[in-house]
Amino acid sequence: MSTEEEQEEKGTKGTPWRKVILAIGVLGLIAAIIKGGFWLHYRFTHATTDDAFVEADLVNISPLVSGHIATLLVDEAQKVKKGQLLFTIDDRDYRARLAVAEAALQEARHLVQLKKATWEKAQKAWELTQKEVYQGIVQAKAQRDAALAKFTMAKSDFRRFQALYQQRVIGKRRFQEVETAFKEAKEALKAKKAAYRRALAQRDRIALAKKTVQEAQKALEAAKATLKKAKRKVKAAQLQLEHTRVKSPITGVVAKKFMNPGDFASPGYPVLSLYNQEEVYIIANLEETKARGVRLGAPVDIWVDTYPGVKLKGKVVRIGEASAAKFALIPRDVTAGEFTKVVQRIPIKILFTDTKGKRLVPGMSVEVGIETK
C-alpha cells in the first residue's frame, strides 16, 4: 500500500474522534456561556460580598462581688440553661458580714421595744397627770365657788347684824358670833382661792409630762430609724451573699472560659462568655456601591466556608446607618490634605431563616448574595 493510501486511511479513522472532541468542546462552551449568563444575571440581581462573618451577642459573665472562685461548674462548649449555676465565689466573708448585720438587727429590734415601752409609760403618765390636774382644778374651783357663796352670805349677814347692833336691836354676843362667822368665811375664801391658784399651777405638770412624751417619741422614732437601717444592711448582706452564686442569664453555650478555680474575680472582669446558639446572625460589610437596592426583609443566599456547596437562607433585618469606617479606632482625617477615595462598607445584619441543621458558631466566614430590587 502506498504512503498516500496509508495517510488517507489514518485520516478516515481519526475523523470520528475529532468530531467527538469538537462536540465536547462545543458543549463545554455552551455550558460555560450558560453558566456565565447565570453568573452575570445573579450579579445584576444580587449584591454579593465575602466580607461577612457569623456573629452572636456574647454575654460576658462577671460576678457582682469580688472574691476567689470557689467552684467552676461549667467548661467551654458546654450548654447551659437560664438560671443554671455557673460558678461560686468564696462566701465566708459575706456570711460573716450577714451574721454581724443580723446581730445589729436584733439589737435594734430590742432597742425599739425598750423605747416603745418608755413612750407608752410616758404617754400613760401624761394622761394620768392630765386627769389628776384637771380633776383638781375642777374640785378646787367648786370649793372656791362654795367658799365665795358662803362668804357672800356671811358678809351680807355681817352688814345686816352690824346695823342691828348699832341700833341696839341685838346684843353684842350675837353680833360677835356673826362677825366671827364672817371672818371665818373670809379666811376660808382666801384659802380656797389659794388652793385654786395652786391647782391651776399644776398645769405645768401636764406640760412637763407632755415634753417627756415628746422626748420618748423622738427616741422611739430614732430607734425605728436605726431598725430600718439595720434591716437594709441585712438585706444588702443577704444580696451580696446571694451574688456569690453566679447563674446564667440566658440559655446558650459557654464560648470562652477566662478564669479557673482559685482565681480572684472582680466585678467587671469576665469569668465566662456565653452566647445563644439559636440567635446567631451574620454581619456582612457590603460595599456602598452595591448597597443600592438592598432593603429590609430581602432574601439572602448564604454560603458558609465550613460547608462548601451548601446554600443556606436568610433575610436582611438591619441596614447600618453609618459606614464601618466611622467607628474605627483611629478614624481617617482628610482635612490635612491627604485624600484617597476608598469604597466604604455598610454593615448589614442578616438572620438565618434556614440553616439546614448545620452547626454555626461565631467567627465563621461566609459569602452572601442579597436580592436587590
Side-chain angles (χ1 to χ4, degrees):
M1 183 179 295
S2 64
T3 302
E4 293 181 357
E5 289 178 350
E6 289 179 354
Q7 290 178 353
E8 184 177 352
E9 185 178 352
K10 288 180 181 180
T12 302
K13 290 180 180 180
T15 299
W17 289 106
R18 285 199 299 270
K19 290 181 179 181
V20 170
I21 294 172
L22 180 61
I24 291 173
V26 170
L27 290 175
L29 180 61
I30 293 173
I33 293 173
I34 293 174
K35 186 174 181 180
F38 280 116
W39 185 87
L40 288 174
H41 177 266
Y42 192 87
R43 289 302 184 273
F44 276 116
T45 57
H46 291 74
T48 62
T49 182
D50 57 1
D51 185 1
F53 302 91
V54 176
E55 301 285 354
D57 294 328
L58 295 175
V59 180
N60 291 323
I61 308 298
S62 61
L64 294 177
V65 294
S66 59
H68 292 278
I69 298 177
T71 56
L72 188 58
L73 304 175
V74 295
D75 204 347
E76 292 181 359
Q78 181 176 337
K79 293 183 179 180
V80 297
K81 294 182 179 180
K82 184 176 181 179
Q84 179 178 337
L85 186 62
L86 301 177
F87 61 90
T88 61
I89 300 294
D90 188 352
D91 61 0
R92 288 175 293 179
D93 289 342
Y94 298 100
R95 289 187 181 278
R97 294 177 189 177
L98 178 58
V100 171
E102 288 176 342
L105 177 60
Q106 292 299 326
E107 184 178 349
R109 284 174 175 166
H110 181 64
L111 181 62
V112 168
Q113 291 176 353
L114 291 178
K115 296 301 181 182
K116 186 177 180 181
T118 303
W119 174 79
E120 289 175 348
K121 184 178 180 180
Q123 183 77 10
K124 290 180 180 180
W126 176 52
E127 294 173 354
L128 182 60
T129 301
Q130 279 185 310
K131 184 177 180 180
E132 291 178 351
V133 169
Y134 286 125
Q135 282 180 350
I137 291 174
V138 171
Q139 185 178 0
K141 185 176 182 298
Q143 292 176 352
R144 185 205 65 176
D145 293 343
L148 179 61
K150 189 175 181 180
F151 169 75
T152 303
M153 183 179 293
K155 183 178 180 182
S156 177
D157 290 344
F158 172 74
R159 288 178 178 177
R160 183 165 54 85
F161 278 91
Q162 187 180 33
L164 293 175
Y165 176 70
Q166 291 175 353
Q167 295 174 4
R168 304 297 181 180
V169 176
I170 61 172
K172 185 178 181 180
R173 184 176 180 179
R174 177 59 178 156
F175 172 68
Q176 288 177 342
E177 291 176 353
V178 173
E179 185 181 22
T180 301
F182 169 66
K183 290 180 179 179
E184 290 177 351
K186 186 176 180 180
E187 290 298 326
L189 177 60
K190 184 178 179 181
K192 297 302 179 183
K193 284 184 176 179
Y196 179 63
R197 287 193 296 270
R198 287 194 300 271
L200 290 177
Q202 291 297 309
R203 288 181 297 187
D204 292 340
R205 288 177 56 201
I206 299 176
L208 183 61
K210 186 176 181 180
K211 185 177 180 181
T212 303
V213 171
Q214 291 174 342
E215 291 176 352
Q217 178 71 27
K218 290 180 180 178
L220 178 59
E221 293 299 328
K224 287 182 177 179
T226 302
L227 176 61
K228 189 178 293 185
K229 186 176 180 180
K231 286 181 178 179
R232 288 198 296 266
K233 286 185 176 180
V234 168
K235 188 175 181 180
Q238 289 174 339
L239 192 60
Q240 286 185 329
L241 180 60
E242 182 181 344
H243 286 161
T244 60
R245 296 172 57 84
V246 182
K247 299 179 180 179
S248 175
I250 64 170
T251 296
V253 65
V254 179
K256 182 69 176 177
K257 181 178 69 174
F258 300 100
M259 294 186 181
N260 294 301
D263 289 339
F264 188 83
S266 299
Y269 292 90
V271 176
L272 301 169
S273 184
L274 311 178
Y275 75 93
N276 190 341
Q277 291 176 302
E278 304 299 325
E279 296 180 0
V280 294
Y281 54 89
I282 291 173
I283 294 296
N285 298 307
L286 189 65
E287 295 95 325
E288 57 184 330
T289 54
K290 296 180 180 180
R292 183 171 52 252
V294 175
R295 66 195 186 280
L296 293 176
V300 183
D301 296 327
I302 304 167
W303 293 271
V304 183
D305 291 2
T306 308
Y307 308 109
V310 179
K311 183 168 70 173
L312 310 181
K313 293 291 183 180
K315 65 178 180 179
V316 176
V317 295
R318 188 179 68 207
I319 301 174
E321 298 295 335
S323 69
K326 299 302 292 182
F327 305 101
L329 184 60
I330 305 178
R332 293 180 62 198
D333 184 8
V334 298
T335 59
E338 177 277 328
F339 174 71
T340 302
K341 188 173 183 179
V342 178
V343 176
Q344 300 299 312
R345 292 179 179 267
I346 307 298
I348 308 294
K349 183 176 181 179
I350 301 167
L351 285 185
F352 288 95
T353 57
D354 182 13
T355 61
K356 299 186 183 300
K358 300 300 182 181
R359 179 174 176 269
L360 301 170
V361 298
M364 284 183 171
S365 298
V366 300
E367 183 178 350
V368 298
I370 306 172
E371 184 180 299
T372 58
K373 289 185 179 179

